[in-house]
Amino acid sequence: MAITAQAADTPAVTLDAAVRQGVTRAPLLAARSADLDARRDEAVRAGRLPDPSLTFGVSNFPVTAPGGFSLRSDAMTMRTVGVMQAIPSRAARTAERSLAAAQVDVAEADRTATVQGLRERIADAWIGVWAATQQRSLLETLRDESTLAVQVAKARLRGGTGSAADVLAAQAETLALANRIDAADAGLQAAHASLQRWLGDAPAVLADAPDFGQLPVAPAQLELHTDRQAPMQAWQAREQVADAALAQARAAKHPDWSVDVTYGHRAPYLSDMVMVQVGVSLPLFTRNRQDRDISAKQARRDAVESAREDARRAQREIVARDIAAWQGWGRQIARDREALLPLASDRSRVALAAYRGGGTLQSWLDARRAEIALRLDYADALAARARAWAALAYLLPESASSSENLP
């Protein structure tokens, strides 16, 4: 179990718990939720009639003699007040509602993709702490043998069968190992800082890692459901937005209407007047106006469709590469754990025993350095496989399952 320098009674944090807690605390998710709320509010008002306009003024006001600039000198002069209501075409209002609904879908898709992306990033931070802990543990187990080598070198020097150079070389090797452990400690602290970004200021104690050799979703399912994966979430909604924009451009060829009702008040001895006017727009010259807009929106719709297909192919490539990398790291880890690491450890022990019996120290130094390099490579492989696992495990919405429930 990987733990930090914290009290042992601190609850251990599983990968699944870290992901859930980190997503809950993420400000980016709050931003996406606020944007979704804004889109929904905008969708409510979409397609509604615009506010009416209030008009008032003076009609038939004389400005020349006789009776110029007088409200009472001419019987036709009226004080007017009216209401004008613009009525966009039904097609335009329907297209506006469709566009607003598509933008809500885009916001929802962005939020879903953000959640999935956050899960992967938080899992990557958790894995960073776990991997750094594994690396330090692999190096720490070599410290006793390095101390023993120094003791053997000093004993041989005292017995007259060794040399001061061997003692210095063994001490230098011990110090080099200490440097590597210190570097691992620094890496562990940096990894904790990355994890604390998501979990808060309190240091986390990590529980056992899930089995990174098993994916929570089969690779075949990942290849089958490309469009549901996090990077592809918004593309369908973007196509819907492009379709709605095209419909809106086509709706511009339908005439809009307006109704204007005006009440005119004349002198007390004359009748008041009411005027009703109905207006209609005339989209007669569409070749370089509406038709151009429709052509542009159609081209943008085609561009979105082509871009989606390109993104789909790129995502399939990424998934195939990640699966191949995850499987390759798994094979390397199994080979290291079952064969190479035991052989390297046996070589170091045999070389040290041979030195104790009168052999050369250089054989042990060579074996020890090879073992350290192998252990570091093994730690890197563990981290690489775990990160490839996270990149695949959180692609689909339902794949963000609890690590305790992995098959």
Side-chain angles (χ1 to χ4, degrees):
M1 178 182 294
I3 60 173
T4 61
Q6 188 175 335
D9 58 350
T10 303
V13 178
T14 64
L15 175 58
D16 181 63
V19 168
R20 284 187 282 104
Q21 181 180 346
V23 168
T24 302
R25 297 171 56 93
L28 184 58
L29 183 60
R32 291 290 180 268
S33 297
D35 183 62
L36 177 57
D37 291 340
R39 294 293 185 182
R40 286 171 174 165
D41 287 339
E42 291 173 354
V44 172
R45 71 178 183 86
R48 297 179 180 272
L49 292 177
D51 292 333
S53 298
L54 176 66
T55 61
F56 51 89
V58 177
S59 178
N60 301 322
F61 182 63
V63 295
T64 60
F69 299 101
S70 172
L71 293 174
R72 299 179 180 274
S73 61
D74 194 302
M76 295 299 296
T77 300
M78 293 184 294
R79 299 176 180 87
T80 63
V81 59
V83 176
M84 192 275 288
Q85 175 67 63
I87 307 175
S89 67
R90 181 184 297 273
R93 285 182 286 153
T94 300
E96 185 180 359
R97 285 191 292 267
S98 298
L99 180 60
Q103 289 172 338
V104 171
D105 291 340
V106 169
E108 289 178 340
D110 286 342
R111 187 184 185 281
T112 301
T114 298
V115 170
Q116 292 171 245
L118 286 172
R119 285 169 173 160
E120 181 182 348
R121 293 170 66 184
I122 297 165
D124 187 79
W126 191 97
I127 288 168
V129 176
W130 172 81
T133 304
Q134 298 302 308
Q135 183 185 73
R136 192 193 186 286
S137 177
L138 287 167
L139 293 173
E140 183 65 34
T141 57
L142 300 176
R143 195 190 292 271
D144 290 343
E145 188 175 299
S146 293
T147 302
L148 179 59
V150 173
Q151 293 172 353
V152 171
K154 290 180 178 179
R156 287 192 58 180
L157 178 61
R158 289 192 299 269
T161 59
S163 66
D166 285 351
V167 175
L168 295 175
Q171 290 176 336
E173 187 65 24
T174 300
L175 293 174
L177 176 62
N179 284 341
R180 289 184 181 274
I181 293 175
D182 287 342
D185 286 336
L188 182 57
Q189 292 177 1
H192 272 296
S194 297
L195 183 58
Q196 288 170 13
R197 171 191 174 184
W198 304 106
L199 302 186
D201 297 332
V205 176
L206 303 190
D208 291 333
D211 182 4
F212 292 125
Q214 295 290 332
L215 285 172
V217 59
Q221 292 296 315
L222 290 175
E223 296 172 355
L224 182 63
H225 298 292
T226 302
D227 286 342
R228 298 181 61 193
Q229 295 169 15
M232 299 296 298
Q233 284 286 329
W235 280 105
Q236 182 177 356
R238 290 172 187 166
E239 284 190 359
Q240 292 173 352
V241 169
D243 287 335
L246 177 59
Q248 198 171 42
R250 289 171 175 165
K253 300 185 78 171
H254 294 261
D256 295 330
W257 296 78
S258 65
V259 177
D260 187 0
V261 178
T262 303
Y263 182 86
H265 175 67
R266 296 198 294 176
Y269 54 89
L270 296 175
S271 300
D272 292 343
M273 298 290 186
V274 173
M275 180 178 64
V276 179
Q277 295 185 96
V278 177
V280 58
S281 64
L282 300 176
L284 300 178
F285 307 101
T286 62
R287 180 177 179 182
N288 291 317
R289 295 178 183 175
Q290 291 87 347
D291 289 347
R292 294 288 184 179
D293 191 29
I294 292 172
S295 178
K297 295 300 192 299
Q298 181 65 61
R300 290 175 184 171
R301 170 64 177 82
D302 294 342
V304 171
E305 184 177 7
S306 297
R308 182 184 184 183
E309 178 59 27
D310 182 74
R312 184 184 290 116
R313 295 180 184 182
Q315 183 62 20
R316 287 172 179 164
E317 177 190 1
I318 291 171
V319 170
R321 286 178 176 271
D322 287 343
I323 291 173
W326 173 73
Q327 293 172 338
W329 287 121
R331 291 190 294 267
Q332 178 178 328
I333 288 169
R335 189 179 301 113
D336 288 347
R337 182 176 58 249
E338 297 170 6
L340 291 178
L341 284 174
L343 287 175
S345 181
D346 290 344
R347 178 187 173 192
S348 295
R349 287 197 299 269
V350 169
L352 184 57
Y355 175 63
R356 179 182 293 179
T360 62
L361 181 65
Q362 189 61 45
S363 296
W364 177 79
L365 292 175
D366 292 342
R368 169 46 60 91
R369 290 164 187 167
E371 184 179 6
I372 290 175
L374 180 60
R375 285 175 178 257
L376 291 175
D377 288 343
Y378 178 70
D380 290 342
L382 288 175
R385 183 183 67 168
R387 289 192 166 94
W389 179 93
L392 295 168
Y394 296 103
L395 279 176
L396 296 178
E398 67 269 19
S399 68
S401 58
S402 173
S403 59
E404 291 88 345
N405 296 326
L406 294 178

